[in-house]
Amino acid sequence: MRLLLVRHPRPEVDPGLCYGRSDVPVDAEETLRVGATLPAGLPTWSSPLQRCASLARVLNPPQLRFDARLAEMDFGAWELRSWNDIPRMEVDAWAADLLHYRPGGGESVLAVARRVAAFLHDLYQEGHAEVLVICHAGTMRLLRALHTGLPLEAAALEAARTPHRIAYGEILALDS
């Protein structure tokens, strides 16, 4: 199966904000611009958060499913706060235990990896030759690590340690 992973367009939030699971909007023109770069006619799965869902709807694919397992990590009390305002000791605690620490009381990386792995397992069962998955940078890093066949905890650590260099609207192709 070929997975085409697409990161949502740039959201309308101030730079430097932590906005994981928060449902922030994207600019309609930016959404149309990104949509014009994507292949048409593929079965499509999307995070239900509007920054992904609006792009998925623009594509008008033959099959569209929204799946909450594709949502970005929930940063709890950190959501919509400036990264600079989050106490350094909390960020350091997360860095010291990437798998289990729950930033802001939200989700741990391992919890996110479990739900993303369950999504990927179910998607593989569908038997499609090629699909489009519209999601978030964190979800994309997890899908890429899981797609390589790494065990769950190793994939979660790999994704968490991978530098965040996925651009808004970027496509990552994963081939089996």
Side-chain angles (χ1 to χ4, degrees), residues 148-160:
T148 66
L150 286 173
L152 184 68
E153 288 191 7
L157 279 174
E158 171 72 20

Side-chain angles (χ1 to χ4, degrees), residues 61-153:
Q63 177 183 354
L64 174 58
R65 294 187 202 168
F66 296 101
D67 196 312
R69 297 174 295 181
L70 291 170
E72 185 59 279
M73 185 169 167
D74 181 353
F75 287 95
W78 292 10
E79 291 283 335
L80 299 178
R81 289 179 62 191
S82 168
W83 283 102
N84 292 330
D85 292 340
I86 297 168
R88 184 76 220 170
M89 62 185 245
E90 290 182 34
V91 175
D92 290 345
W94 183 27
D97 187 6
L98 286 173
L99 277 183
H100 303 102
Y101 187 80
R102 297 173 48 224
E107 287 181 289
S108 68
V109 170
L110 187 56
V112 178
R114 283 187 182 113
R115 67 175 161 80
V116 171
F119 164 80
L120 191 58
H121 175 269
D122 291 350
L123 182 62
Y124 287 154
Q125 301 307 307
E126 298 259 345
H128 297 282
E130 186 173 31
V131 298
L132 194 64
V133 179
I134 302 170
C135 55
H136 312 270
T139 311
M140 290 172 74
R141 290 193 311 269
L142 280 164
L143 287 166
R144 181 174 49 200
L146 290 162
H147 187 73
T148 66
L150 286 173
L152 184 68
E153 288 191 7

